[in-house]
Amino acid sequence: AFPSLGGLGLGGEGKLSGARSREAVVRRGEAAFPEEEVMAAPDVSAGAVGLTSVLQSAQSPDAALRGQAEQHLQQLRENNHAQFVASLTEELCEESKPIDTRRLAGLILKNELDARDEARKNALVQKWIELAVDLKANIKGRLVSSLASPVTEVGKVCAQVVAKIAGIEIPRQLWPDLIQILLHNMGLSQHPHITSLRLCTLETLGYICEELTDLKDSGLEQAQVNNILTAIVQGMRKEEPSQEVRYAATCALLNAVDFASVNFENDGEQKYIMQMTFEGTQSLDVRTRRASFECIVAITAAYYHKLLPYMSDLYQVSCKAIQGDDESVALQAVEVWCTIADEEMCLLDDETQAQSCHNFIKNAAPHLVPVLLATLTKQEEDLQDDGTWDIAMAGATCIGLIANTIQDEAVPLVWPYVQENIGKADWRLRESATMAFGSLLEGPSGQVLQPLVNMAFGFLLNAMNDENMCVRDTTAWTIGRICAELHGIHLDFAVINTTNLPQLVAVMLQSIEGEPVIAEKVCYVFHNLATGYEDFEGDTSPLSPFFQPIVTALLEVANKALINQSTKLRYHAFEALNEVLRCSKKDTATLLLQLIPLMLTKLQETLSMNVQSAENREKQTELQGSLCSVLQVVIQKLSSIDNKATKVSLMAFSDQLMTLFLQVFACRSATVLEEALLAVGALVNTMGTDFLKYMDAFFPYIETGLQNFTEYQVCTATVEVVGDLCRALGPYIAKYCDKIMFFLLNDLQAQNLHRSVKPSILSCFGDIALAIEGQFEKYLPYALTMLESASALSIQTQQVAGDDDDMIDYNNDLRNGILEAYSGLFQGFKANKQQLKAFHDHAREIIGFIESIYQDTNRSSAVTKNAVWVLGDLADTLDNVGPFFVEKPFYQKFLMECKQNSSLGDTAQWAMERISMRMQ
């Protein structure tokens, strides 16, 4: 029995994002309020133990008492949710209650309204909406009144809770008078606790803006936005007597920036907002100065094209802060210029927008770069390896972004500083000059950088013996950057050549034995050095003579890191090792084979490790994952070598490999499972049908992986292995397909499965159909219904994605999954045309789906290629589809455009011919 076709649950949680380390200090203001890690908030019913005493016990240092209190609270919570939130509100707002229980009551109440997990959040929102109207009105009234609490801390907690409720109700038009009430608070001149009230009201406004920012329809009218901004900016005035209020207002503006688009179109309002923000950078309160620069960062990102009238002031206040303010303020001042550089890089990279670039970086660079270079000498004396972000690191990052933005023009601004200081007696100057050079290596052309690198390379290698560890560390990083940016056969010059390569390797092999933090950078060098030889043609490469000593050194440092419990170094060592192995050539095959028994021995040893403690268990799983990843790379590399003897030698290890992999699967750690599954996938591809002998033992782990929603990366890896099995086993996979299809269809409908897994599941339908051909017929109605639902979701996503990069990327992944599925289905059934009637009924929808793809300028090249293939497959496989193409003539222009692309031309021509045949 297959799951009901009630709907394709392709939503799921998971919005992917990435960020540079510098962005860790770019906060959305102090107004950002994270979800606290507190126990699940329980219910309190009449006659139960008093809530105050329970909350006090829940904060007791006595673990047993805490546990009892939490259990009691959980039981109460489950009895009566409405009574529970009412009691929490009473506890929070009653002035006679202890502050610690009021605070905890507020945090629990807040977490009854919101959660990180999307499914839980939606459930909590629904619970709130379903509460009685009079109960909600009473709760909201108490909370808003308590913004004026004489205990400011309590008022601040109330602000957070009010904002959470507002985030639910304002978009639904359920709290129409809230903004007016808050604005009324700001207009009061007489109140027993006027300062606390204004402060907490401003925080509430900021939190509300934060809650509503990402919503398509915030529910706020422009007049309300205008009034909110007016209240906030009034609180930012330098005449404001309370520094706390001024700081709260500045944080509120930070969260309101995205709402100010209309106001930034009005010159007067725009100027006033900028004036208040600039004045804030000169405040006596360091927090306000920092928050003001955070506001400028946000304004720069949102309203770059409005900055021109303010650039002179911006330069003055930012340089003053960088040169002499508290480091937390200086970091944000540097971030302003990093953000401007980011914006201008994006504009200059897009030919259609390049003309709209104001070249702020180009114009400011001659004056700004010296200021930034001066920050490089403010480095920490003790080498930090904990991700600490200081002004020297920020300055170097900004120089790198400037180099990326103005490219060759950055070189004469930085290179003289490098020349002047790299040989100085003061280690700070030597290190800063090396850091400046490393920051310059991305952006300027190779033609400009090559002579400078040639001049400096020998000096840098010698500097790896510098007496100062900071200098050695930065030097290794800079050499790694040279290998990353200026090394590779795709370049028309060679910075690293047969003359200096032996010295480079020798120096790195010596340095990797030093301090762990420097060994990490050496791993970075070896990783990038290997990558540069990846596309070297032939059976050997210049790196082959050094393959064995490099691999040996990386294995030794990984083992040393395990003993010294240096997780970060071990990670970098294995990453570098895998890249060296991946980029190796045929002449290293014997050495690669020798690694297999070594890795098997090490993997066997992990199974007998002492794992009594959580720390030891984590160490075991990390090491097992790393060893499995090495085995995966080795297997893939050896199987790609066109040498029968090599493959026979590899196959000789298959029993040992699978025996250990199965033992590793039993450990059930997500990290290990993912890597072990990928290693098995590599072995499957190597063995082909010979892998059948392991299927009965291995298949239970496939079943488990396909049901692993919590650790979705494991589920993804399992789906990928199913595809490998289909390609390797062909029709022999059929006996397992009932269960596989059952789980895949369930996964597609699961709302709690991360959405990133689902495109690969759709693609897997095509792999299965290709493998078992006509035997797929019994699954076809289910697969086609899912693909139709996925296509509808993709079209809907296309309409709302806008410029959301995450949504655009996900939609392209989804389209690829859909198209790969259709292509596999067409090819799988090509020899069984009597079974194709179901396809014919869907042909019109498939062509319509591809038309929507054609209309989307955000489609990826992979999507375009797959769309061409599906058009050709459809016409090649199905009879009587000519009328469908007549209805959708877009295909002519689409395929003609694709024919102009050298990589797509032949495929587009083939597709055009197949369609033309159906038109006759």
Side-chain angles (χ1 to χ4, degrees):
F2 290 97
S4 66
L5 302 175
L8 182 63
L10 284 172
E13 182 189 358
K15 185 173 182 179
L16 306 181
S17 62
R20 285 194 300 271
S21 57
R22 69 178 173 88
E23 291 174 346
V25 299
V26 188
R27 303 185 309 280
R28 290 293 289 167
E30 297 296 332
F33 186 74
E35 179 184 356
E36 282 75 11
E37 299 295 334
V38 299
M39 78 293 292
D43 182 26
V44 177
S45 55
V49 176
L51 180 58
T52 301
S53 61
V54 175
L55 291 173
Q56 287 175 326
S57 297
Q59 301 175 79
S60 169
D62 185 331
L65 187 59
R66 263 199 331 273
Q68 291 173 4
E70 291 173 12
Q71 185 178 9
H72 182 67
L73 288 169
Q74 180 63 27
Q75 291 171 351
L76 295 173
R77 175 183 186 273
E78 293 169 357
N79 291 338
N80 189 329
H81 176 255
Q83 178 64 34
F84 172 66
V85 294
S87 298
L88 285 175
T89 305
E90 179 66 24
E91 185 76 22
L92 171 61
C93 299
E94 175 53 54
E95 296 296 344
S96 63
K97 298 290 185 178
I99 291 178
D100 60 340
T101 63
R102 297 176 74 184
R103 182 194 308 114
L104 182 55
L107 297 184
I108 296 173
L109 182 57
K110 183 195 77 76
N111 285 344
E112 279 296 298
L113 298 162
D114 194 14
R116 291 190 185 97
D117 179 77
E118 195 67 26
R120 173 167 166 73
K121 177 178 180 177
N122 291 338
L124 292 173
V125 168
Q126 193 59 36
K127 271 189 174 183
W128 171 262
I129 291 173
E130 291 172 356
L131 289 176
V133 174
D134 56 346
L135 174 61
K136 288 188 288 188
N138 182 59
I139 290 172
K140 293 186 291 187
R142 293 295 306 274
L143 290 168
V144 171
S145 296
S146 292
L147 294 174
S149 171
V151 182
T152 302
E153 184 179 356
V154 168
K156 289 186 172 188
V157 175
C158 289
Q160 296 153 7
V161 180
V162 168
K164 289 298 178 187
I165 297 173
I168 298 170
E169 295 206 343
I170 287 180
R172 295 171 172 83
Q173 305 297 324
L174 297 177
W175 202 350
D177 58 344
L178 173 61
I179 300 301
Q180 192 57 45
I181 294 170
L182 297 174
L183 294 174
H184 174 75
N185 288 352
M186 292 305 297
L188 292 175
S189 58
Q190 299 293 324
H191 190 279
H193 312 292
I194 186 66
T195 299
S196 180
L197 174 60
R198 297 182 72 234
L199 188 157
C200 295
T201 299
L202 283 166
E203 289 199 356
T204 306
L205 289 168
Y207 293 147
I208 290 172
C209 290
E210 184 181 34
E211 290 293 318
L212 300 178
T213 292
D214 294 329
L215 299 180
K216 187 176 180 181
D217 182 5
S218 68
L220 292 176
E221 297 176 359
Q222 186 57 44
Q224 291 177 306
V225 172
N226 293 342
N227 290 332
I228 289 172
L229 287 171
T230 299
I232 289 172
V233 175
Q234 292 258 337
M236 293 174 63
R237 293 177 305 160
K238 60 186 177 183
E239 293 82 11
E240 169 59 49
S242 169
Q243 291 292 345
E244 293 291 333
V245 168
R246 192 179 183 193
Y247 170 59
T250 308
C251 291
L253 177 63
L254 179 57
N255 285 313
V257 163
D258 289 337
F259 286 95
S261 57
V262 172
N263 308 86
F264 266 83
E265 293 300 324
N266 181 300
D267 289 344
E269 294 176 15
Q270 171 198 126
K271 184 176 180 181
Y272 190 59
I273 292 171
M274 294 302 293
Q275 178 187 339
M276 293 300 103
T277 308
F278 279 132
E279 286 181 359
T281 67
Q282 308 304 305
S283 168
L284 297 176
D285 188 328
V286 65
R287 298 171 306 162
T288 301
R289 296 200 301 276
R290 182 189 68 230
S292 297
F293 277 111
E294 289 175 335
C295 288
I296 295 174
V297 170
I299 289 168
T300 297
Y303 309 111
Y304 164 84
H305 293 292
K306 302 296 182 182
L307 292 179
L308 185 59
Y310 312 105
M311 288 309 298
S312 177
D313 289 339
L314 179 54
Y315 174 79
Q316 296 296 332
V317 298
S318 62
C319 286
K320 177 184 175 184
I322 294 169
Q323 291 171 313
D325 210 329
D326 181 86
E327 186 174 59
S328 67
V329 180
L331 286 170
Q332 292 303 319
V334 172
E335 184 61 27
V336 170
W337 291 102
C338 290
T339 305
I340 293 173
D342 279 335
E343 293 296 320
E344 296 199 336
M345 275 191 286
C346 290
L347 292 172
L348 294 170
D349 285 344
D350 186 340
E351 292 182 2
T352 64
Q353 298 189 57
Q355 293 299 319
S356 64
C357 178
H358 293 294
N359 294 311
F360 294 141
I361 293 295
K362 180 178 180 178
N363 294 327
H367 314 286
L368 178 63
V369 168
V371 175
L372 295 171
L373 288 170
T375 67
L376 303 187
T377 60
K378 299 178 182 179
Q379 62 273 68
E380 296 289 336
E381 190 159 354
D382 296 327
L383 192 58
Q384 302 291 317
D385 190 35
D386 57 0
T388 302
W389 188 252
D390 59 26
I391 189 63
M393 295 170 67
T397 299
C398 195
I399 290 171
L401 290 170
I402 290 172
N404 269 286
T405 305
I406 63 173
Q407 301 180 350
D408 289 354
E409 295 180 46
V411 175
L413 302 178
V414 177
W415 179 245
Y417 180 87
V418 176
Q419 287 182 299
E420 180 182 351
N421 293 292
I422 202 165
K424 289 287 180 67
D426 185 342
W427 75 266
R428 290 187 181 277
L429 293 173
R430 295 199 305 276
E431 194 276 341
S432 66
T434 309
M435 177 64 78
F437 187 36
S439 301
L440 188 63
L441 292 171
E442 183 180 359
S445 64
Q447 290 71 22
V448 171
L449 289 175
Q450 181 194 5
L452 307 184
V453 173
N454 288 339
M455 189 188 314
F457 200 71
F459 188 94
L460 291 171
L461 292 178
N462 289 333
M464 288 301 299
N465 295 312
D466 195 282
E467 62 185 18
N468 183 273
M469 187 167 68
C470 292
V471 175
R472 296 198 302 276
D473 178 70
T474 302
T475 300
W477 172 77
T478 299
I479 294 172
R481 293 269 291 171
I482 291 171
C483 293
E485 302 297 334
L486 300 169
H487 165 56
I489 65 168
H490 62 286
L491 301 171
D492 56 4
F493 57 87
V495 167
I496 297 170
N497 50 49
T498 54
T499 302
N500 58 26
L501 179 60
Q503 185 187 2
L504 169 61
V505 173
V507 169
M508 292 301 125
L509 290 174
Q510 176 186 341
S511 299
I512 202 171
E513 298 177 358
E515 300 87 349
V517 66
I518 293 176
E520 286 177 21
K521 306 302 189 303
V522 175
C523 292
Y524 174 64
V525 173
F526 280 139
H527 182 286
N528 295 334
L529 184 63
T531 303
Y533 291 117
E534 178 181 5
D535 298 323
F536 201 88
E537 295 182 358
D539 294 340
T540 186
S541 86
L543 200 59
S544 290
F546 310 102
F547 179 82
Q548 185 167 14
I550 291 174
V551 169
T552 301
L554 290 170
L555 286 170
E556 287 178 353
V557 79
N559 189 58
K560 186 190 301 183
L562 177 66
I563 296 170
N564 298 333
Q565 299 186 357
S566 177
T567 303
K568 190 176 178 183
L569 175 57
R570 186 169 71 249
Y571 168 81
H572 286 294
F574 276 113
E575 284 290 298
L577 175 63
N578 285 342
E579 189 67 2
V580 171
L581 300 178
R582 192 179 67 81
C583 299
S584 62
K585 296 300 176 181
K586 188 175 181 178
D587 60 346
T588 63
T590 302
L591 296 172
L592 282 169
L593 275 169
Q594 293 172 7
L595 279 174
I596 294 180
L598 177 61
M599 293 297 106
L600 287 173
T601 300
K602 289 183 175 293
L603 190 56
Q604 181 70 58
E605 290 171 355
T606 66
L607 296 172
S608 57
M609 287 176 65
N610 176 12
V611 291
Q612 297 300 312
S613 68
E615 182 180 354
N616 286 340
R617 166 67 69 179
E618 184 178 359
K619 184 190 299 185
Q620 180 198 46
T621 57
E622 287 177 355
L623 183 55
Q624 287 176 340
S626 296
L627 294 171
C628 287
S629 72
V630 173
L631 285 168
Q632 177 204 353
V633 174
V634 171
I635 294 168
Q636 286 177 330
K637 194 67 189 180
L638 288 172
S639 65
S640 70
I641 295 175
D642 186 19
N643 184 309
K644 186 175 180 181
T646 299
K647 291 186 178 179
V648 169
S649 300
L650 174 58
M651 294 279 282
F653 290 106
S654 64
D655 285 354
Q656 291 173 266
L657 285 164
M658 277 307 296
T659 299
L660 275 176
F661 288 149
L662 291 172
Q663 289 178 271
V664 167
F665 286 136
C667 296
R668 300 191 179 281
S669 161
T671 304
V672 182
L673 284 174
E674 183 181 2
E675 296 294 349
L677 281 165
L678 295 174
V680 171
L683 188 60
V684 168
N685 290 325
T686 301
M687 295 185 68
T689 54
D690 290 336
F691 189 83
L692 269 172
K693 61 183 178 179
Y694 305 126
M695 275 300 291
D696 287 345
F698 178 52
F699 191 69
Y701 298 105
I702 292 288
E703 294 181 281
T704 302
L706 291 177
Q707 298 174 81
N708 193 339
F709 294 177
T710 305
E711 296 151 340
Y712 67 89
Q713 296 92 338
V714 174
C715 192
T716 299
T718 308
V719 173
E720 291 176 4
V721 172
V722 169
D724 293 332
L725 289 167
C726 291
R727 287 183 286 274
L729 302 182
Y732 297 108
I733 192 69
K735 66 176 284 192
Y736 303 99
C737 282
D738 277 0
K739 288 186 175 180
I740 290 173
M741 285 298 296
F742 177 82
F743 291 127
L744 293 180
L745 290 165
N746 263 334
D747 289 356
L748 283 175
Q749 296 180 102
Q751 293 296 326
N752 57 335
L753 177 61
H754 198 288
R755 68 178 186 177
S756 65
V757 184
K758 298 183 179 184
S760 59
I761 293 175
L762 296 169
S763 179
C764 196
F765 288 164
D767 295 328
I768 296 171
L770 266 174
I772 66 175
E773 297 182 336
Q775 297 179 76
F776 193 86
E777 184 180 14
K778 61 181 174 179
Y779 314 125
L780 189 57
Y782 303 97
L784 289 177
T785 301
M786 289 295 181
L787 289 167
E788 193 174 272
S789 297
S791 299
L793 175 64
S794 175
I795 293 171
Q796 179 185 356
T797 303
Q798 175 182 331
Q799 293 168 349
V800 301
D803 57 357
D804 186 326
D805 290 338
D806 290 329
M807 195 174 290
I808 290 169
D809 291 343
Y810 175 71
N811 198 28
N812 278 323
D813 290 341
L814 181 58
R815 289 162 166 171
N816 277 325
I818 296 167
L819 294 169
E820 287 168 1
Y822 278 132
S823 188
L825 288 167
F826 283 132
Q827 293 177 51
F829 279 90
K830 192 172 182 180
N832 301 274
K833 293 205 172 186
Q834 69 276 12
Q835 300 170 333
L836 291 176
K837 185 177 184 305
F839 276 114
H840 195 277
D841 295 339
H842 282 76
R844 180 181 277 107
E845 286 73 21
I846 296 171
I847 296 172
F849 172 58
I850 294 175
E851 182 179 28
S852 73
I853 291 174
Y854 168 65
Q855 293 167 347
D856 185 11
T857 56
N858 289 320
R859 69 178 187 270
S860 67
S861 58
V863 169
T864 301
K865 181 178 180 180
N866 282 326
V868 173
W869 273 112
V870 171
L871 284 175
D873 284 335
L874 186 151
D876 192 39
T877 307
L878 300 181
D879 296 326
N880 304 317
V881 292
F884 299 155
F885 285 104
V886 173
E887 294 172 7
K888 299 287 186 181
F890 80 92
Y891 76 90
Q892 298 176 355
K893 189 174 181 182
F894 178 39
L895 294 178
M896 287 301 295
E897 290 174 5
C898 292
K899 284 175 68 175
Q900 307 306 312
N901 186 316
S902 58
S903 64
L904 282 177
D906 292 343
T907 307
Q909 179 63 36
W910 166 81
M912 185 72 83
E913 291 171 358
R914 291 296 170 274
I915 295 171
S916 297
M917 289 176 59
R918 296 302 179 193
M919 303 288 283
Q920 294 174 1

